[in-house]
Structures are given as C-alpha cells and as structure tokens.
C-alpha cells in the first residue's frame, strides 16, 4: 500500500514542485511589498543561514536533538508511539513502534522550530511581533542551511527510501515550508493557507497545460 502511494506521490511531486515554486516566487515578492515587518522577517532567513554556517559547529548537540525530536513529533502525528530517543554530539537515533517515509524524511523538510513559533505568535503581544518575525526568519534560515549540509545518501533515512524519491519529496517539502513562512509573515495563518491554495492552483494549471498540449505535440511528430 505504501509503495503504491509513494509512486503516486512521486509522480505528483514533479508538477507540484514547479507549481509551488512559482507560487513561492510570487509569495516572496508579495511579502517584500507587504510591510517592513514582513521584509525584516525575510531578511533574517539568509542571516540565519550565515549564523549557522559560522556557529553551527558549536551547536552540534542542539541540531541532533532537533532532528530526532522532529522524527518524534511527526511520528506522534501518525499515532506512532516513541520507544527511545538518543542524542549526542556524535549522532542520534529515534526508535519508534512503527515508521513510514514521511516520519523518516520529516527532519529534512519540516521546519519544526518555525512551526512552533508560528503557533505561538498569535498569542504574543503585538508590540513584540516584529521581534518574533525576526526570530522566525532566523530559525527558518537555520532549517534551510542545516538541511543542505545534512542531506546525503549516507544518511540512513535518505538511503532507506532512495535518493531520487527522497530528494523529490524533501525539495517539494522545503518549497512548501518556505512559502508557508512567507505567507505567515504577511497575514499569519490565513497567509500560509493562501499560499497553499495558490500552489495548488499553479500545479493544476501546469497539469492542464501538459494534458492539453501533449496530444498536439504527439500529432505533430507523427
């Protein structure tokens, strides 16, 4: 069942990556023109990437722990019970009573700290929202650059599901994650939901275009 679902998901991921990437492009420019708060949050994304490149080697345990907790949280979403969490500077593991490819790959596309902060921000006083947006940009930048550094065929999580499939799913997931953050910086959760719907519309338009044009191209070749 999971293998059939993975095949369908991989096929869907190809046009979806293009559709959500187009929506992300529009969303970023929309955020840049929205408000100084949104612009500042976006500016903190590359800042977070640079800070992690400079100081990440001193926070190895922090990164390993975050990686394993992301497995844990995603597993709980699928009602998979945890068994043991081990984290150290040299590596870690999350043992659970069950698994699937989403739980395995989650740390490579789920921005855990960004999502936690986004869940808390509506509860914060408006006077600190600009600082919260800065922190959101920083932790999103950490998510992006740490995953670029960590993604490798040598990773058991990646190897167990194949490099091509894992790359497609993680790339698609990260495009969506960045768009959700960019939308949130503009209109909180309604902005994130708006991005998801925009990406779906772009994907549908791409699929419709190729569905109508492929027979035409085939006829011209014949």
């Amino acid at each position: 069942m999971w293998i059939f679902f993975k095949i369908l998901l991989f096929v869907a991921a190809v046009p979806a990556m293009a559709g959500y990437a187009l929506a992300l492009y529009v969303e970023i420019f929309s955020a840049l023109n929205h408000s100084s708060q949104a612009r500042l949050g976006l500016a903190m994304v590359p800042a977070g990437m640079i800070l992690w490149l400079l100081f990440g080697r001193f926070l190895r345990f922090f990164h390993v722990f975050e990686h394993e907790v992301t497995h844990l949280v995603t597993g709980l979403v699928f009602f998979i019970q945890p068994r043991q969490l081990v984290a150290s500077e040299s590596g870690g593991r999350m043992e659970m009573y069950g698994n699937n490819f989403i739980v395995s790959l989650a740390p490579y596309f789920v921005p855990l700290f960004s999502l936690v902060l986004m869940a808390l921000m509506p509860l914060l006083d408006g006077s600190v929202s600009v600082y919260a947006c800065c922190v959101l940009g920083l932790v999103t930048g950490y998510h992006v650059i740490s995953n670029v550094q960590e993604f490798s065929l040598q990773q058991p999580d990646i190897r167990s599901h194949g490099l091509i499939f894992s790359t497609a799913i993680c790339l698609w997931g990260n495009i969506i994650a960045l768009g959700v953050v960019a939308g949130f910086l503009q209109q909180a959760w309604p902005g994130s939901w708006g991005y998801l719907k925009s990406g779906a519309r772009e994907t549908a338009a791409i699929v419709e275009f190729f569905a109508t044009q492929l027979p035409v191209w085939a006829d011209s070749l014949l």
Side-chain angles (χ1 to χ4, degrees), residues 37-72:
Q37 181 172 293
R39 287 192 293 272
L40 187 58
L42 286 180
M44 289 297 104
V45 174
M49 297 170 68
I50 293 171
L51 286 173
W52 182 253
L53 287 173
L54 292 175
F55 303 108
R57 62 184 182 276
F58 303 114
L59 300 170
R60 178 62 184 168
F61 173 79
F62 164 84
H63 176 61
V64 172
F65 182 74
E66 180 263 340
H67 180 105
E68 303 306 333
V69 169
T70 304
H71 283 305
L72 170 64

PDB file of all heavy atoms in Angstrom, residues 37-72:
ATOM      1  N   GLN A  37       7.740  44.746   8.434  1.00  0.00           N
ATOM      2  CA  GLN A  37       7.845  43.576   9.308  1.00  0.00           C
ATOM      3  C   GLN A  37       8.068  42.312   8.493  1.00  0.00           C
ATOM      4  O   GLN A  37       8.911  41.477   8.840  1.00  0.00           O
ATOM      5  CB  GLN A  37       6.567  43.452  10.131  1.00  0.00           C
ATOM      6  CG  GLN A  37       6.545  42.300  11.109  1.00  0.00           C
ATOM      7  CD  GLN A  37       5.339  42.346  12.019  1.00  0.00           C
ATOM      8  OE1 GLN A  37       5.194  43.228  12.854  1.00  0.00           O
ATOM      9  NE2 GLN A  37       4.443  41.389  11.856  1.00  0.00           N
ATOM     10  N   ALA A  38       7.321  42.168   7.397  1.00  0.00           N
ATOM     11  CA  ALA A  38       7.483  41.000   6.529  1.00  0.00           C
ATOM     12  C   ALA A  38       8.848  41.020   5.862  1.00  0.00           C
ATOM     13  O   ALA A  38       9.514  39.981   5.742  1.00  0.00           O
ATOM     14  CB  ALA A  38       6.381  40.962   5.484  1.00  0.00           C
ATOM     15  N   ARG A  39       9.282  42.206   5.416  1.00  0.00           N
ATOM     16  CA  ARG A  39      10.604  42.323   4.781  1.00  0.00           C
ATOM     17  C   ARG A  39      11.706  41.960   5.765  1.00  0.00           C
ATOM     18  O   ARG A  39      12.677  41.294   5.403  1.00  0.00           O
ATOM     19  CB  ARG A  39      10.807  43.739   4.237  1.00  0.00           C
ATOM     20  CG  ARG A  39      10.012  44.052   2.998  1.00  0.00           C
ATOM     21  CD  ARG A  39      10.472  45.344   2.345  1.00  0.00           C
ATOM     22  NE  ARG A  39      10.179  46.501   3.180  1.00  0.00           N
ATOM     23  CZ  ARG A  39       9.032  47.177   3.146  1.00  0.00           C
ATOM     24  NH1 ARG A  39       8.069  46.802   2.309  1.00  0.00           N
ATOM     25  NH2 ARG A  39       8.833  48.227   3.924  1.00  0.00           N
ATOM     26  N   LEU A  40      11.557  42.407   7.003  1.00  0.00           N
ATOM     27  CA  LEU A  40      12.575  42.103   8.006  1.00  0.00           C
ATOM     28  C   LEU A  40      12.635  40.609   8.286  1.00  0.00           C
ATOM     29  O   LEU A  40      13.720  40.031   8.418  1.00  0.00           O
ATOM     30  CB  LEU A  40      12.263  42.872   9.296  1.00  0.00           C
ATOM     31  CG  LEU A  40      13.314  42.807  10.414  1.00  0.00           C
ATOM     32  CD1 LEU A  40      14.660  43.325   9.919  1.00  0.00           C
ATOM     33  CD2 LEU A  40      12.838  43.609  11.624  1.00  0.00           C
ATOM     34  N   GLY A  41      11.464  39.965   8.363  1.00  0.00           N
ATOM     35  CA  GLY A  41      11.444  38.526   8.582  1.00  0.00           C
ATOM     36  C   GLY A  41      12.129  37.768   7.467  1.00  0.00           C
ATOM     37  O   GLY A  41      12.903  36.836   7.709  1.00  0.00           O
ATOM     38  N   LEU A  42      11.881  38.182   6.210  1.00  0.00           N
ATOM     39  CA  LEU A  42      12.539  37.532   5.078  1.00  0.00           C
ATOM     40  C   LEU A  42      14.040  37.774   5.093  1.00  0.00           C
ATOM     41  O   LEU A  42      14.828  36.889   4.754  1.00  0.00           O
ATOM     42  CB  LEU A  42      11.943  38.043   3.764  1.00  0.00           C
ATOM     43  CG  LEU A  42      10.552  37.531   3.390  1.00  0.00           C
ATOM     44  CD1 LEU A  42      10.118  38.140   2.060  1.00  0.00           C
ATOM     45  CD2 LEU A  42      10.524  36.012   3.296  1.00  0.00           C
ATOM     46  N   ALA A  43      14.445  38.985   5.480  1.00  0.00           N
ATOM     47  CA  ALA A  43      15.870  39.310   5.518  1.00  0.00           C
ATOM     48  C   ALA A  43      16.613  38.460   6.545  1.00  0.00           C
ATOM     49  O   ALA A  43      17.811  38.200   6.393  1.00  0.00           O
ATOM     50  CB  ALA A  43      16.057  40.795   5.832  1.00  0.00           C
ATOM     51  N   MET A  44      15.912  38.023   7.578  1.00  0.00           N
ATOM     52  CA  MET A  44      16.538  37.207   8.619  1.00  0.00           C
ATOM     53  C   MET A  44      16.788  35.772   8.167  1.00  0.00           C
ATOM     54  O   MET A  44      17.545  35.050   8.813  1.00  0.00           O
ATOM     55  CB  MET A  44      15.666  37.209   9.878  1.00  0.00           C
ATOM     56  CG  MET A  44      15.649  38.528  10.638  1.00  0.00           C
ATOM     57  SD  MET A  44      17.280  39.002  11.285  1.00  0.00           S
ATOM     58  CE  MET A  44      17.721  40.298  10.101  1.00  0.00           C
ATOM     59  N   VAL A  45      16.138  35.342   7.086  1.00  0.00           N
ATOM     60  CA  VAL A  45      16.368  33.972   6.597  1.00  0.00           C
ATOM     61  C   VAL A  45      17.822  33.786   6.160  1.00  0.00           C
ATOM     62  O   VAL A  45      18.508  32.875   6.652  1.00  0.00           O
ATOM     63  CB  VAL A  45      15.386  33.612   5.466  1.00  0.00           C
ATOM     64  CG1 VAL A  45      15.732  32.252   4.874  1.00  0.00           C
ATOM     65  CG2 VAL A  45      13.950  33.610   5.982  1.00  0.00           C
ATOM     66  N   PRO A  46      18.359  34.616   5.237  1.00  0.00           N
ATOM     67  CA  PRO A  46      19.790  34.465   4.905  1.00  0.00           C
ATOM     68  C   PRO A  46      20.686  34.756   6.092  1.00  0.00           C
ATOM     69  O   PRO A  46      21.771  34.174   6.205  1.00  0.00           O
ATOM     70  CB  PRO A  46      20.004  35.457   3.763  1.00  0.00           C
ATOM     71  CG  PRO A  46      18.865  36.418   3.837  1.00  0.00           C
ATOM     72  CD  PRO A  46      17.716  35.635   4.386  1.00  0.00           C
ATOM     73  N   ALA A  47      20.248  35.648   6.989  1.00  0.00           N
ATOM     74  CA  ALA A  47      21.044  35.928   8.185  1.00  0.00           C
ATOM     75  C   ALA A  47      21.156  34.679   9.055  1.00  0.00           C
ATOM     76  O   ALA A  47      22.223  34.359   9.589  1.00  0.00           O
ATOM     77  CB  ALA A  47      20.419  37.071   8.982  1.00  0.00           C
ATOM     78  N   GLY A  48      20.039  33.940   9.182  1.00  0.00           N
ATOM     79  CA  GLY A  48      20.068  32.697   9.950  1.00  0.00           C
ATOM     80  C   GLY A  48      20.967  31.657   9.312  1.00  0.00           C
ATOM     81  O   GLY A  48      21.654  30.904  10.007  1.00  0.00           O
ATOM     82  N   MET A  49      20.988  31.633   7.981  1.00  0.00           N
ATOM     83  CA  MET A  49      21.861  30.698   7.275  1.00  0.00           C
ATOM     84  C   MET A  49      23.321  31.022   7.542  1.00  0.00           C
ATOM     85  O   MET A  49      24.139  30.124   7.810  1.00  0.00           O
ATOM     86  CB  MET A  49      21.560  30.757   5.780  1.00  0.00           C
ATOM     87  CG  MET A  49      20.152  30.315   5.419  1.00  0.00           C
ATOM     88  SD  MET A  49      19.699  30.645   3.693  1.00  0.00           S
ATOM     89  CE  MET A  49      20.786  29.485   2.853  1.00  0.00           C
ATOM     90  N   ILE A  50      23.665  32.290   7.489  1.00  0.00           N
ATOM     91  CA  ILE A  50      25.060  32.708   7.713  1.00  0.00           C
ATOM     92  C   ILE A  50      25.480  32.421   9.149  1.00  0.00           C
ATOM     93  O   ILE A  50      26.590  31.923   9.402  1.00  0.00           O
ATOM     94  CB  ILE A  50      25.220  34.205   7.382  1.00  0.00           C
ATOM     95  CG1 ILE A  50      25.014  34.429   5.879  1.00  0.00           C
ATOM     96  CG2 ILE A  50      26.591  34.714   7.816  1.00  0.00           C
ATOM     97  CD1 ILE A  50      24.945  35.894   5.480  1.00  0.00           C
ATOM     98  N   LEU A  51      24.600  32.718  10.114  1.00  0.00           N
ATOM     99  CA  LEU A  51      24.920  32.475  11.519  1.00  0.00           C
ATOM    100  C   LEU A  51      25.150  30.996  11.789  1.00  0.00           C
ATOM    101  O   LEU A  51      26.055  30.630  12.549  1.00  0.00           O
ATOM    102  CB  LEU A  51      23.794  33.009  12.415  1.00  0.00           C
ATOM    103  CG  LEU A  51      23.705  34.532  12.559  1.00  0.00           C
ATOM    104  CD1 LEU A  51      22.457  34.925  13.336  1.00  0.00           C
ATOM    105  CD2 LEU A  51      24.956  35.084  13.253  1.00  0.00           C
ATOM    106  N   TRP A  52      24.352  30.130  11.146  1.00  0.00           N
ATOM    107  CA  TRP A  52      24.545  28.704  11.355  1.00  0.00           C
ATOM    108  C   TRP A  52      25.856  28.230  10.739  1.00  0.00           C
ATOM    109  O   TRP A  52      26.544  27.378  11.308  1.00  0.00           O
ATOM    110  CB  TRP A  52      23.373  27.921  10.769  1.00  0.00           C
ATOM    111  CG  TRP A  52      23.508  26.446  11.018  1.00  0.00           C
ATOM    112  CD1 TRP A  52      23.821  25.484  10.098  1.00  0.00           C
ATOM    113  CD2 TRP A  52      23.378  25.772  12.270  1.00  0.00           C
ATOM    114  NE1 TRP A  52      23.888  24.249  10.693  1.00  0.00           N
ATOM    115  CE2 TRP A  52      23.627  24.392  12.035  1.00  0.00           C
ATOM    116  CE3 TRP A  52      23.080  26.193  13.562  1.00  0.00           C
ATOM    117  CZ2 TRP A  52      23.563  23.453  13.049  1.00  0.00           C
ATOM    118  CZ3 TRP A  52      23.036  25.244  14.577  1.00  0.00           C
ATOM    119  CH2 TRP A  52      23.272  23.901  14.318  1.00  0.00           C
ATOM    120  N   LEU A  53      26.214  28.778   9.583  1.00  0.00           N
ATOM    121  CA  LEU A  53      27.484  28.419   8.967  1.00  0.00           C
ATOM    122  C   LEU A  53      28.653  28.820   9.869  1.00  0.00           C
ATOM    123  O   LEU A  53      29.676  28.124   9.926  1.00  0.00           O
ATOM    124  CB  LEU A  53      27.618  29.092   7.601  1.00  0.00           C
ATOM    125  CG  LEU A  53      26.741  28.531   6.471  1.00  0.00           C
ATOM    126  CD1 LEU A  53      26.862  29.403   5.225  1.00  0.00           C
ATOM    127  CD2 LEU A  53      27.132  27.092   6.153  1.00  0.00           C
ATOM    128  N   LEU A  54      28.498  29.937  10.568  1.00  0.00           N
ATOM    129  CA  LEU A  54      29.578  30.435  11.420  1.00  0.00           C
ATOM    130  C   LEU A  54      29.650  29.714  12.762  1.00  0.00           C
ATOM    131  O   LEU A  54      30.736  29.418  13.262  1.00  0.00           O
ATOM    132  CB  LEU A  54      29.396  31.938  11.668  1.00  0.00           C
ATOM    133  CG  LEU A  54      29.583  32.858  10.455  1.00  0.00           C
ATOM    134  CD1 LEU A  54      29.254  34.293  10.819  1.00  0.00           C
ATOM    135  CD2 LEU A  54      31.015  32.771   9.921  1.00  0.00           C
ATOM    136  N   PHE A  55      28.492  29.439  13.362  1.00  0.00           N
ATOM    137  CA  PHE A  55      28.480  28.936  14.739  1.00  0.00           C
ATOM    138  C   PHE A  55      27.861  27.550  14.895  1.00  0.00           C
ATOM    139  O   PHE A  55      27.808  27.031  16.007  1.00  0.00           O
ATOM    140  CB  PHE A  55      27.720  29.928  15.642  1.00  0.00           C
ATOM    141  CG  PHE A  55      28.284  31.312  15.624  1.00  0.00           C
ATOM    142  CD1 PHE A  55      27.608  32.348  14.986  1.00  0.00           C
ATOM    143  CD2 PHE A  55      29.504  31.586  16.231  1.00  0.00           C
ATOM    144  CE1 PHE A  55      28.134  33.631  14.959  1.00  0.00           C
ATOM    145  CE2 PHE A  55      30.036  32.855  16.205  1.00  0.00           C
ATOM    146  CZ  PHE A  55      29.352  33.883  15.566  1.00  0.00           C
ATOM    147  N   GLY A  56      27.388  26.956  13.785  1.00  0.00           N
ATOM    148  CA  GLY A  56      26.719  25.663  13.886  1.00  0.00           C
ATOM    149  C   GLY A  56      27.583  24.568  14.461  1.00  0.00           C
ATOM    150  O   GLY A  56      27.083  23.663  15.142  1.00  0.00           O
ATOM    151  N   ARG A  57      28.890  24.640  14.225  1.00  0.00           N
ATOM    152  CA  ARG A  57      29.775  23.582  14.719  1.00  0.00           C
ATOM    153  C   ARG A  57      29.816  23.550  16.247  1.00  0.00           C
ATOM    154  O   ARG A  57      30.211  22.542  16.844  1.00  0.00           O
ATOM    155  CB  ARG A  57      31.184  23.761  14.156  1.00  0.00           C
ATOM    156  CG  ARG A  57      31.866  25.047  14.550  1.00  0.00           C
ATOM    157  CD  ARG A  57      33.224  25.155  13.862  1.00  0.00           C
ATOM    158  NE  ARG A  57      33.963  26.345  14.226  1.00  0.00           N
ATOM    159  CZ  ARG A  57      33.796  27.524  13.651  1.00  0.00           C
ATOM    160  NH1 ARG A  57      32.915  27.651  12.660  1.00  0.00           N
ATOM    161  NH2 ARG A  57      34.508  28.569  14.038  1.00  0.00           N
ATOM    162  N   PHE A  58      29.424  24.666  16.897  1.00  0.00           N
ATOM    163  CA  PHE A  58      29.400  24.707  18.359  1.00  0.00           C
ATOM    164  C   PHE A  58      28.059  24.225  18.924  1.00  0.00           C
ATOM    165  O   PHE A  58      27.907  24.133  20.146  1.00  0.00           O
ATOM    166  CB  PHE A  58      29.659  26.135  18.851  1.00  0.00           C
ATOM    167  CG  PHE A  58      30.951  26.710  18.369  1.00  0.00           C
ATOM    168  CD1 PHE A  58      30.956  27.792  17.506  1.00  0.00           C
ATOM    169  CD2 PHE A  58      32.167  26.168  18.764  1.00  0.00           C
ATOM    170  CE1 PHE A  58      32.148  28.345  17.045  1.00  0.00           C
ATOM    171  CE2 PHE A  58      33.365  26.703  18.309  1.00  0.00           C
ATOM    172  CZ  PHE A  58      33.359  27.792  17.443  1.00  0.00           C
ATOM    173  N   LEU A  59      27.108  23.963  18.036  1.00  0.00           N
ATOM    174  CA  LEU A  59      25.750  23.597  18.456  1.00  0.00           C
ATOM    175  C   LEU A  59      25.351  22.246  17.883  1.00  0.00           C
ATOM    176  O   LEU A  59      24.182  22.038  17.531  1.00  0.00           O
ATOM    177  CB  LEU A  59      24.753  24.688  18.011  1.00  0.00           C
ATOM    178  CG  LEU A  59      24.998  26.091  18.553  1.00  0.00           C
ATOM    179  CD1 LEU A  59      24.112  27.103  17.841  1.00  0.00           C
ATOM    180  CD2 LEU A  59      24.725  26.118  20.059  1.00  0.00           C
ATOM    181  N   ARG A  60      26.283  21.349  17.784  1.00  0.00           N
ATOM    182  CA  ARG A  60      26.025  20.048  17.176  1.00  0.00           C
ATOM    183  C   ARG A  60      24.953  19.279  17.938  1.00  0.00           C
ATOM    184  O   ARG A  60      24.055  18.684  17.336  1.00  0.00           O
ATOM    185  CB  ARG A  60      27.333  19.248  17.121  1.00  0.00           C
ATOM    186  CG  ARG A  60      27.191  17.842  16.556  1.00  0.00           C
ATOM    187  CD  ARG A  60      26.711  17.850  15.129  1.00  0.00           C
ATOM    188  NE  ARG A  60      26.482  16.498  14.641  1.00  0.00           N
ATOM    189  CZ  ARG A  60      25.852  16.218  13.509  1.00  0.00           C
ATOM    190  NH1 ARG A  60      25.377  17.192  12.758  1.00  0.00           N
ATOM    191  NH2 ARG A  60      25.683  14.965  13.128  1.00  0.00           N
ATOM    192  N   PHE A  61      25.029  19.271  19.264  1.00  0.00           N
ATOM    193  CA  PHE A  61      24.033  18.535  20.047  1.00  0.00           C
ATOM    194  C   PHE A  61      22.642  19.116  19.812  1.00  0.00           C
ATOM    195  O   PHE A  61      21.660  18.369  19.687  1.00  0.00           O
ATOM    196  CB  PHE A  61      24.361  18.584  21.542  1.00  0.00           C
ATOM    197  CG  PHE A  61      23.279  17.982  22.400  1.00  0.00           C
ATOM    198  CD1 PHE A  61      23.165  16.608  22.532  1.00  0.00           C
ATOM    199  CD2 PHE A  61      22.359  18.799  23.055  1.00  0.00           C
ATOM    200  CE1 PHE A  61      22.155  16.048  23.310  1.00  0.00           C
ATOM    201  CE2 PHE A  61      21.344  18.244  23.822  1.00  0.00           C
ATOM    202  CZ  PHE A  61      21.247  16.865  23.958  1.00  0.00           C
ATOM    203  N   PHE A  62      22.546  20.436  19.764  1.00  0.00           N
ATOM    204  CA  PHE A  62      21.270  21.110  19.516  1.00  0.00           C
ATOM    205  C   PHE A  62      20.656  20.628  18.202  1.00  0.00           C
ATOM    206  O   PHE A  62      19.462  20.313  18.139  1.00  0.00           O
ATOM    207  CB  PHE A  62      21.504  22.627  19.483  1.00  0.00           C
ATOM    208  CG  PHE A  62      20.383  23.415  18.871  1.00  0.00           C
ATOM    209  CD1 PHE A  62      19.278  23.775  19.624  1.00  0.00           C
ATOM    210  CD2 PHE A  62      20.450  23.812  17.539  1.00  0.00           C
ATOM    211  CE1 PHE A  62      18.230  24.496  19.060  1.00  0.00           C
ATOM    212  CE2 PHE A  62      19.417  24.547  16.969  1.00  0.00           C
ATOM    213  CZ  PHE A  62      18.309  24.887  17.733  1.00  0.00           C
ATOM    214  N   HIS A  63      21.469  20.528  17.161  1.00  0.00           N
ATOM    215  CA  HIS A  63      20.958  20.127  15.857  1.00  0.00           C
ATOM    216  C   HIS A  63      20.532  18.661  15.858  1.00  0.00           C
ATOM    217  O   HIS A  63      19.476  18.311  15.314  1.00  0.00           O
ATOM    218  CB  HIS A  63      22.021  20.357  14.786  1.00  0.00           C
ATOM    219  CG  HIS A  63      21.610  19.872  13.432  1.00  0.00           C
ATOM    220  ND1 HIS A  63      20.507  20.363  12.763  1.00  0.00           N
ATOM    221  CD2 HIS A  63      22.131  18.909  12.621  1.00  0.00           C
ATOM    222  CE1 HIS A  63      20.373  19.748  11.606  1.00  0.00           C
ATOM    223  NE2 HIS A  63      21.339  18.853  11.495  1.00  0.00           N
ATOM    224  N   VAL A  64      21.336  17.794  16.461  1.00  0.00           N
ATOM    225  CA  VAL A  64      20.989  16.369  16.520  1.00  0.00           C
ATOM    226  C   VAL A  64      19.692  16.185  17.298  1.00  0.00           C
ATOM    227  O   VAL A  64      18.800  15.418  16.883  1.00  0.00           O
ATOM    228  CB  VAL A  64      22.122  15.556  17.165  1.00  0.00           C
ATOM    229  CG1 VAL A  64      21.684  14.111  17.401  1.00  0.00           C
ATOM    230  CG2 VAL A  64      23.371  15.589  16.292  1.00  0.00           C
ATOM    231  N   PHE A  65      19.553  16.887  18.414  1.00  0.00           N
ATOM    232  CA  PHE A  65      18.349  16.776  19.231  1.00  0.00           C
ATOM    233  C   PHE A  65      17.117  17.252  18.455  1.00  0.00           C
ATOM    234  O   PHE A  65      16.064  16.605  18.484  1.00  0.00           O
ATOM    235  CB  PHE A  65      18.519  17.599  20.510  1.00  0.00           C
ATOM    236  CG  PHE A  65      17.345  17.501  21.451  1.00  0.00           C
ATOM    237  CD1 PHE A  65      17.139  16.347  22.193  1.00  0.00           C
ATOM    238  CD2 PHE A  65      16.455  18.552  21.581  1.00  0.00           C
ATOM    239  CE1 PHE A  65      16.050  16.250  23.067  1.00  0.00           C
ATOM    240  CE2 PHE A  65      15.368  18.461  22.439  1.00  0.00           C
ATOM    241  CZ  PHE A  65      15.164  17.304  23.180  1.00  0.00           C
ATOM    242  N   GLU A  66      17.243  18.369  17.747  1.00  0.00           N
ATOM    243  CA  GLU A  66      16.128  18.883  16.947  1.00  0.00           C
ATOM    244  C   GLU A  66      15.743  17.889  15.856  1.00  0.00           C
ATOM    245  O   GLU A  66      14.548  17.690  15.569  1.00  0.00           O
ATOM    246  CB  GLU A  66      16.519  20.231  16.332  1.00  0.00           C
ATOM    247  CG  GLU A  66      15.433  20.883  15.474  1.00  0.00           C
ATOM    248  CD  GLU A  66      15.616  20.596  13.995  1.00  0.00           C
ATOM    249  OE1 GLU A  66      16.756  20.231  13.608  1.00  0.00           O
ATOM    250  OE2 GLU A  66      14.634  20.733  13.238  1.00  0.00           O
ATOM    251  N   HIS A  67      16.729  17.264  15.237  1.00  0.00           N
ATOM    252  CA  HIS A  67      16.480  16.272  14.197  1.00  0.00           C
ATOM    253  C   HIS A  67      15.652  15.113  14.743  1.00  0.00           C
ATOM    254  O   HIS A  67      14.648  14.707  14.137  1.00  0.00           O
ATOM    255  CB  HIS A  67      17.821  15.766  13.653  1.00  0.00           C
ATOM    256  CG  HIS A  67      17.703  14.747  12.572  1.00  0.00           C
ATOM    257  ND1 HIS A  67      17.946  15.042  11.238  1.00  0.00           N
ATOM    258  CD2 HIS A  67      17.384  13.416  12.598  1.00  0.00           C
ATOM    259  CE1 HIS A  67      17.769  13.962  10.505  1.00  0.00           C
ATOM    260  NE2 HIS A  67      17.431  12.956  11.299  1.00  0.00           N
ATOM    261  N   GLU A  68      16.069  14.581  15.886  1.00  0.00           N
ATOM    262  CA  GLU A  68      15.376  13.426  16.453  1.00  0.00           C
ATOM    263  C   GLU A  68      13.994  13.801  16.981  1.00  0.00           C
ATOM    264  O   GLU A  68      13.046  13.008  16.868  1.00  0.00           O
ATOM    265  CB  GLU A  68      16.221  12.797  17.573  1.00  0.00           C
ATOM    266  CG  GLU A  68      17.622  12.366  17.154  1.00  0.00           C
ATOM    267  CD  GLU A  68      17.629  11.442  15.947  1.00  0.00           C
ATOM    268  OE1 GLU A  68      16.643  10.738  15.715  1.00  0.00           O
ATOM    269  OE2 GLU A  68      18.655  11.431  15.220  1.00  0.00           O
ATOM    270  N   VAL A  69      13.848  14.993  17.542  1.00  0.00           N
ATOM    271  CA  VAL A  69      12.539  15.441  18.029  1.00  0.00           C
ATOM    272  C   VAL A  69      11.566  15.619  16.864  1.00  0.00           C
ATOM    273  O   VAL A  69      10.364  15.364  17.007  1.00  0.00           O
ATOM    274  CB  VAL A  69      12.665  16.743  18.839  1.00  0.00           C
ATOM    275  CG1 VAL A  69      11.297  17.358  19.127  1.00  0.00           C
ATOM    276  CG2 VAL A  69      13.386  16.470  20.156  1.00  0.00           C
ATOM    277  N   THR A  70      12.075  16.027  15.697  1.00  0.00           N
ATOM    278  CA  THR A  70      11.214  16.149  14.526  1.00  0.00           C
ATOM    279  C   THR A  70      10.675  14.786  14.120  1.00  0.00           C
ATOM    280  O   THR A  70       9.497  14.649  13.755  1.00  0.00           O
ATOM    281  CB  THR A  70      11.971  16.797  13.352  1.00  0.00           C
ATOM    282  OG1 THR A  70      12.497  18.058  13.762  1.00  0.00           O
ATOM    283  CG2 THR A  70      11.031  17.019  12.169  1.00  0.00           C
ATOM    284  N   HIS A  71      11.536  13.750  14.163  1.00  0.00           N
ATOM    285  CA  HIS A  71      11.044  12.384  13.953  1.00  0.00           C
ATOM    286  C   HIS A  71       9.929  12.061  14.956  1.00  0.00           C
ATOM    287  O   HIS A  71       8.879  11.513  14.597  1.00  0.00           O
ATOM    288  CB  HIS A  71      12.169  11.361  14.152  1.00  0.00           C
ATOM    289  CG  HIS A  71      13.134  11.244  13.018  1.00  0.00           C
ATOM    290  ND1 HIS A  71      12.734  10.976  11.721  1.00  0.00           N
ATOM    291  CD2 HIS A  71      14.495  11.322  12.986  1.00  0.00           C
ATOM    292  CE1 HIS A  71      13.807  10.908  10.943  1.00  0.00           C
ATOM    293  NE2 HIS A  71      14.880  11.119  11.686  1.00  0.00           N
ATOM    294  N   LEU A  72      10.190  12.410  16.220  1.00  0.00           N
ATOM    295  CA  LEU A  72       9.251  12.096  17.296  1.00  0.00           C
ATOM    296  C   LEU A  72       7.896  12.764  17.064  1.00  0.00           C
ATOM    297  O   LEU A  72       6.847  12.099  17.122  1.00  0.00           O
ATOM    298  CB  LEU A  72       9.842  12.547  18.634  1.00  0.00           C
ATOM    299  CG  LEU A  72       8.899  12.522  19.839  1.00  0.00           C
ATOM    300  CD1 LEU A  72       8.453  11.097  20.140  1.00  0.00           C
ATOM    301  CD2 LEU A  72       9.581  13.149  21.057  1.00  0.00           C
TER     302      LEU A  72
END
